[in-house]
């Protein structure tokens, strides 16, 4: 299945991060594939595996590209000062996703 072909999916997410949504589950959990996607569009974090929502580097890359990606970060990262600061630097509206 080509949705599980790492080379195909990497090339697709480099062109458009939305392609991550159509990748196989194993590649949605692949850190390198997800980093490529979130660098292109931070909101691709939503389509990554749950464990990557708690990966600090992945989340920081996502919120640097699109502050609203903070919505998809794990709760502990939504309470992390550095992560939140990166998100609000990109866009003030990320404040609505900060953990209470």
């Amino acid at each position: 299945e080509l949705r599980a072909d790492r080379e195909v999916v990497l090339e697709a997410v480099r062109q458009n991060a939305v392609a991550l949504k159509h990748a196989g589950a194993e590649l949605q959990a692949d850190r390198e594939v997800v980093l490529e996607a979130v660098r292109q569009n931070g909101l691709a974090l939503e389509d990554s595996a749950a464990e990557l929502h708690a990966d600090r580097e992945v989340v920081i890359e996502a919120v640097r590209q699109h502050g609203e990606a903070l919505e998809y970060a794990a709760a502990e990262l939504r309470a992390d000062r550095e992560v939140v600061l990166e998100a609000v630097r990109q866009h003030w509206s990320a404040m609505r996703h900060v953990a209470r």
Side-chain angles (χ1 to χ4, degrees):
E1 147 115 41
L2 294 175
R3 290 174 189 251
D5 184 304
R6 193 167 191 276
E7 184 179 0
V8 169
V9 172
L10 265 172
E11 186 57 38
V13 299
R14 284 180 182 134
Q15 291 179 40
N16 191 324
V18 174
L20 186 62
K21 182 180 302 237
H22 305 289
E26 185 175 307
L27 292 175
Q28 289 175 336
D30 182 302
R31 194 167 187 275
E32 182 184 350
V33 170
V34 172
L35 276 168
E36 284 289 335
V38 299
R39 285 178 181 139
Q40 216 263 356
N41 182 341
L43 295 177
L45 185 62
E46 177 181 15
D47 299 313
S48 69
E51 62 265 19
L52 292 176
H53 296 200
D55 183 308
R56 198 162 192 278
E57 182 184 356
V58 170
V59 171
I60 285 176
E61 288 293 330
V63 300
R64 278 183 180 152
Q65 200 288 320
H66 200 301
E68 287 285 324
L70 187 62
E71 176 179 1
Y72 307 111
E76 64 270 14
L77 293 179
R78 288 186 283 116
D80 180 296
R81 186 178 189 283
E82 183 183 355
V83 172
V84 169
L85 191 55
E86 288 292 339
V88 298
R89 279 183 178 142
Q90 201 286 319
H91 202 279
W92 67 268
S93 64
M95 280 298 297
R96 64 183 169 178
H97 304 299
V98 174
R100 295 183 185 256

